[in-house]
Amino acid sequence: LERLNLNMLCVRGNHEDHEFLDELERQSVQAAFPIDAYQRVWVLKTGEPFVLQKDGESLEILGIGRIGDRKQRPHGEFIQEYERQTLHRFVKGCLKNKHDPDVLITHDKPSDSQSGYGAEEIADVLDQLAFAYH
């Protein structure tokens, strides 16, 4: 984080200015993008691993932003189809290479059939990969 002059990594929530964040995300080729004038607060792109490295050690972080929606509506607060596809490709690659990321950062919780709330995408990822921290 020091080398990047980065103070915080986060994921999108459901009450953000998604049009603004969509434009910043489109402009970035990295797995995260800065959202403040000083470039100290970065938002992780859903399904794209962000790797921190220092002294030969690495920490792989995966973010899943927004909230789940069983109706798969296109509104900005809900996980988008392109994010589902990115997550699917990432998980498939991890399973193929027998690799688990270190940290999962989410805004929503995994889906819960009893309450009907949460993100199925998060539940699917947690069912298939073993993270050290969530």
Side-chain angles (χ1 to χ4, degrees):
L1 294 176
E2 295 169 4
R3 185 173 56 87
L4 293 173
N5 204 24
L6 173 69
N7 287 13
M8 184 174 82
L9 282 173
C10 60
V11 294
R12 292 180 187 218
N14 54 313
H15 296 287
E16 321 299 0
D17 181 345
H18 291 289
E19 289 181 24
F20 172 72
L21 293 176
D22 287 344
E23 184 57 34
L24 292 177
E25 183 174 337
R26 276 191 289 276
Q27 293 173 15
S28 175
V29 295
Q30 300 177 52
F33 55 95
I35 60 169
D36 67 315
Y38 299 104
Q39 297 192 354
R40 294 195 177 260
V41 178
W42 290 55
V43 173
L44 296 166
K45 292 181 180 178
T46 291
E48 294 189 26
F50 185 87
V51 180
L52 295 171
Q53 296 180 337
K54 185 174 182 176
D55 300 330
E57 298 286 326
S58 66
L59 182 71
E60 186 176 24
I61 303 167
L62 181 69
I64 302 176
R66 309 183 205 237
I67 59 174
D69 178 39
R70 293 174 196 249
K71 298 178 183 176
Q72 297 186 352
R73 292 171 281 193
H75 303 111
E77 66 267 24
F78 302 118
I79 296 173
Q80 302 293 294
E81 182 57 34
Y82 77 92
E83 293 170 319
R84 282 186 202 91
Q85 292 172 7
T86 302
L87 269 172
H88 177 75
R89 283 191 302 272
F90 177 74
V91 169
K92 187 175 177 181
C94 286
L95 294 173
K96 179 180 178 184
N97 296 316
K98 296 183 171 124
H99 166 77
D100 290 314
D102 301 301
V103 177
L104 176 64
I105 299 176
T106 63
H107 176 73
D108 204 356
K109 65 177 189 149
S111 62
D112 177 351
S113 59
Q114 291 178 346
S115 70
Y117 295 106
E120 291 178 5
E121 295 83 359
I122 296 170
D124 290 344
V125 168
L126 288 171
D127 284 345
Q128 297 179 69
L129 301 177
F131 294 87
Y133 299 98
H134 174 208

